[in-house]
């Protein structure tokens, strides 16, 4: 069997194609299936199956579109409770893809309905571990308290993960190759390795979750210091349970308008994806600067953390060349349906941000309300400015009432990306107070 790993860098998501004897199966595919179709053509293979380890929280899967366009079978646990056409696939079940056999193991912990798939052919064993086993860690257990057909409290799931790690993989050989659904940078776990694969033997030696420990010790470790949960996670779980619309149709239903200097409905949020410097020179009212300059910008994550599911918004692109890419990235988290339009701006746009004097700030920090929008785990390691008001970016829109408006604001994060969004949020709230973005100058203080 031949395995191809596909990586979505902004979401640190891995998906897979397995090819054997002219047949191809996909595991946890991204929303747009075109890369898989091209790979099938290159290998003269027919896509016959899509395997879903669980209903994902951080991205929207293209499983339903792939089924509709290829006639393939979706294999997913009966516990997910889906209504679209599928074949229930749970522990004890097995299916052949070419000459490869694929079996399901029920591995609850990240979610109560999680599966791990074991593929075997000619003595080679492959594990598609989904969000259960990562390289160096395991999936977080705190995402299914409010979403999904099967809901479970985080402590309950943490205990299930302990049992999974103690009992579910014991019969598999050390040379089993592990292919997870995520790597470092994903919010589906913590402390993940940069490595994209490993062996079960290596993880048994180096992954903390395999260490000899009590259930109480395991639960305490897995629950501490987990990343924040973006607003869109529960929304994506439900969307994946139902099955998303055809992504090409969904993207091109979004209206496009060029040379805009105002939007049709005042008060609707505008997400401006341009570079912070361009944004500060001119932008539309009620804008939030969530930059999407390249794949290194975590646009998808912060869009889904700041903008609520089903909240209407306009999207601003730097140029028409970026429109298709922005629609693609927005559709990855299922937010294309709430877009009122994607626009480019007119030169007449005049609303600008305040320009700050760095030397004045250095000399007179007490004259500013400093707002630290880093995550709680970052703040716990120590403040950069002792008197800063600490409110994580994903909570800032709902907590602006906690901030005084009697002094100019100086907003900072750790490197300059998030502070562009944070300062724009405060600009919208405090119309009569100057708001400054410390941006990359934070590096002079940290």
């Amino acid at each position: 069997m031949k395995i191809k790993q596909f990586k979505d860098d902004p979401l640190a998501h891995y998906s897979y194609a397995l090819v054997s004897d002219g047949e191809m199966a996909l595991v946890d595919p991204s929303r747009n299936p075109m890369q898989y179709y091209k790979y099938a053509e290159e290998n003269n293979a027919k896509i016959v199956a899509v395997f879903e380890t669980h209903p994902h929280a951080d991205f929207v899967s293209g499983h339903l579109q792939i089924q509709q366009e290829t006639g393939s079978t979706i294999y997913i646990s009966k516990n997910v409770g889906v209504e679209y056409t599928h074949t229930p696939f749970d522990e004890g079940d097995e299916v052949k893809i070419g000459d490869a056999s694929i079996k399901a193991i029920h591995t609850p912990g990240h979610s109560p309905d999680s599966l791990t798939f074991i593929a075997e052919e000619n003595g080679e064993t492959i594990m598609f571990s989904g969000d259960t086993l990562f390289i160096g860690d395991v999936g977080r257990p705190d995402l299914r308290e409010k979403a999904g057909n099967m809901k479970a409290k985080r402590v309950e799931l943490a205990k299930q993960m302990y049992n999974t790690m103690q009992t579910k993989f014991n019969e598999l050989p050390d040379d089993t190759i592990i292919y997870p659904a995520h790597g470092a940078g994903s919010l589906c776990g913590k402390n993940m390795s940069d490595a994209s694969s490993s062996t079960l033997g290596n993880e048994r030696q180096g992954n903390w979750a395999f260490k000899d420990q009590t259930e109480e010790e395991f639960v305490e470790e897995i629950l501490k210091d987990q990343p924040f949960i973006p607003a869109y996670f529960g929304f994506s779980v439900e969307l994946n349970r139902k099955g998303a619309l055809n992504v090409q149709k969904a993207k091109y239903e979004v209206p496009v308008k060029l040379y805009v200097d105002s939007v049709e409905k005042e008060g609707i949020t505008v997400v401006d994806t341009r570079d912070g410097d361009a944004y500060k020179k001119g932008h539309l009212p009620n804008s939030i600067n969530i930059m999407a300059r390249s794949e290194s910008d975590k646009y998808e994550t912060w869009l889904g953390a700041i903008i609520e599911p089903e909240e209407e918004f306009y999207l601003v692109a730097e140029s028409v060349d970026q429109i298709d890419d922005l629609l693609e990235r927005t559709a990855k988290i299922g937010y294309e349906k709430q877009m009122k339009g994607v626009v480019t701006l007119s030169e007449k746009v005049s609303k600008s941000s305040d320009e700050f004097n760095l030397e004045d700030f250095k000399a007179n920090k007490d004259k500013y309300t400093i707002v630290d929008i880093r995550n709680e785990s970052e703040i716990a390691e120590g403040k950069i400015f002792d008197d800063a008001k600490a409110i994580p970016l994903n909570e800032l829109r709902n907590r602006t009432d906690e901030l005084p408006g009697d002094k100019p604001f100086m907003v900072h994060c750790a490197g300059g990306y998030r502070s562009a969004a944070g300062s724009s949020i405060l600009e919208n709230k405090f119309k009569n107070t100057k708001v400054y973005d410390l941006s990359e100058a934070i590096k002079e203080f940290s």
Side-chain angles (χ1 to χ4, degrees):
M1 58 185 164
K2 181 179 180 180
I3 307 296
K4 168 71 173 179
Q5 183 182 65
F6 299 85
K7 185 178 183 184
D8 182 325
D9 281 309
L11 290 171
H13 164 226
Y14 296 121
S15 57
Y16 300 92
L18 180 154
V19 178
S20 178
D21 194 27
E23 293 189 333
M24 182 166 135
L26 301 174
V27 181
D28 292 335
S30 299
R31 184 164 185 190
N32 192 332
M34 290 303 159
Q35 60 184 337
Y36 312 117
Y37 295 171
K38 291 176 183 178
Y39 188 72
E41 286 185 353
E42 291 168 5
N43 286 271
N44 195 29
K46 180 182 179 182
I47 298 173
V48 297
V50 180
F51 292 90
E52 290 283 297
T53 57
H54 66 294
H56 301 274
D58 64 314
F59 72 93
V60 175
S61 171
H63 54 276
L64 192 58
Q65 179 176 346
I66 294 167
Q67 179 196 62
Q68 293 168 345
E69 293 178 338
T70 67
S72 54
T73 300
I74 298 173
Y75 294 94
I76 191 168
S77 172
K78 66 178 183 297
N79 295 323
V80 179
V82 301
E83 295 183 0
Y84 54 74
T85 302
H86 69 287
T87 295
F89 198 62
D90 289 283
E91 186 157 335
D93 293 331
E94 181 177 355
V95 67
K96 295 281 283 188
I97 303 297
D99 294 325
S101 67
I102 298 183
K103 301 175 183 177
I105 303 176
H106 182 217
T107 52
H110 173 70
S111 67
D113 44 30
S114 286
L115 298 178
T116 293
F117 301 121
I118 307 300
E120 296 177 309
E121 183 180 337
N122 296 329
E124 181 181 19
T125 305
I126 303 290
M127 174 193 294
F128 297 106
S129 57
D131 287 16
T132 297
L133 178 59
F134 295 132
I135 311 307
D137 210 337
V138 289
R140 64 190 298 179
D142 56 343
L143 301 182
R144 290 293 290 274
E145 295 183 316
K146 299 179 180 178
N149 184 53
M150 295 179 70
K151 299 178 178 65
K153 297 294 184 183
R154 61 188 65 192
V155 173
E156 176 187 341
L157 280 173
K159 291 179 179 180
Q160 290 181 18
M161 183 67 85
Y162 176 75
N163 182 67
T164 288
M165 300 309 296
Q166 291 285 316
T167 66
K168 291 293 186 174
F169 307 130
N170 294 343
E171 304 304 315
L172 295 171
D174 278 346
D175 62 0
T176 299
I177 299 173
I178 300 169
Y179 287 120
H182 292 291
S186 168
L187 292 178
C188 288
K190 59 180 180 179
N191 303 324
M192 282 180 258
S193 168
D194 288 329
S196 59
S197 64
S198 184
T199 65
L200 193 52
N202 286 341
E203 293 307 298
R204 283 168 172 157
Q205 290 292 319
N207 191 318
W208 74 270
F210 279 106
K211 291 180 179 178
D212 186 18
Q213 57 196 305
T214 66
E215 181 182 75
E216 183 179 7
E217 290 169 334
F218 182 94
V219 170
E220 180 182 2
E221 177 62 29
I222 197 175
L223 290 179
K224 74 179 184 182
D225 301 328
Q226 287 290 359
F228 74 96
I229 302 174
Y232 80 97
F233 268 24
F235 167 78
S236 285
V237 168
E238 294 298 341
L239 185 53
N240 282 320
R241 281 188 62 237
K242 296 173 183 175
L245 295 173
N246 178 295
V247 70
Q248 282 76 28
K249 291 180 180 178
K251 285 192 305 181
Y252 292 110
E253 285 183 357
V254 179
V256 173
K257 195 167 185 180
L258 309 184
Y259 324 125
V260 165
D261 56 21
S262 64
V263 293
E264 295 175 3
K265 293 179 68 175
E266 292 185 9
I268 292 181
T269 300
V270 177
V271 174
D272 195 317
T273 66
R274 297 173 300 151
D275 180 77
D277 289 340
Y279 174 87
K280 291 176 177 64
K281 290 177 182 177
H283 53 265
L284 296 172
N286 208 35
S287 290
I288 300 176
N289 188 200
I290 307 176
M291 295 184 285
R293 300 161 299 185
S294 69
E295 285 200 336
S296 62
D297 286 340
K298 296 284 188 178
Y299 163 75
E300 293 89 334
T301 295
W302 289 109
L303 177 68
I306 295 171
I307 305 300
E308 294 289 331
E310 301 182 11
E311 176 184 353
E312 294 182 332
F313 66 96
Y314 288 92
L315 195 68
V316 174
E318 175 72 34
S319 73
V320 292
D321 284 343
Q322 293 180 312
I323 289 176
D324 190 66
D325 183 59
L326 287 171
L327 287 169
E328 180 83 7
R329 295 182 71 172
T330 302
K332 282 189 211 172
I333 64 168
Y335 270 29
E336 77 286 347
K337 288 181 69 176
Q338 62 208 63
M339 290 174 62
K340 298 297 292 180
V342 56
V343 305
T344 63
L345 298 185
S346 163
E347 294 180 357
K348 296 178 182 179
V349 171
S350 58
K351 187 173 179 59
S352 60
S353 301
D354 298 309
E355 293 185 21
F356 78 97
N357 184 320
L358 180 59
E359 297 307 315
D360 181 73
F361 174 68
K362 288 179 177 178
N364 303 286
K365 297 185 187 69
D366 59 326
K367 294 183 179 179
Y368 298 79
T369 297
I370 303 173
V371 185
D372 183 347
I373 61 167
R374 295 177 299 158
N375 298 334
E376 288 183 357
S377 59
E378 295 172 284
I379 295 168
E381 293 177 0
K383 285 187 173 182
I384 298 172
F385 302 102
D386 291 338
D387 296 330
K389 307 288 186 183
I391 303 178
L393 175 56
N394 62 299
E395 300 176 15
L396 188 59
R397 289 179 83 192
N398 296 322
R399 295 178 59 187
T400 54
D401 289 344
E402 298 176 24
L403 297 171
D406 58 336
K407 293 190 291 187
F409 290 104
M410 182 63 76
V411 182
H412 81 85
C413 57
Y417 177 80
R418 288 171 288 177
S419 60
S423 58
S424 60
I425 288 170
L426 294 189
E427 280 181 358
N428 296 332
K429 174 68 176 181
F430 296 92
K431 307 292 187 183
N432 300 314
T433 305
K434 290 188 177 297
V435 179
Y436 301 113
D437 173 14
L438 191 53
S439 191
E440 294 182 0
I442 186 61
K443 296 171 184 177
E444 297 188 29
F445 302 91
S446 56

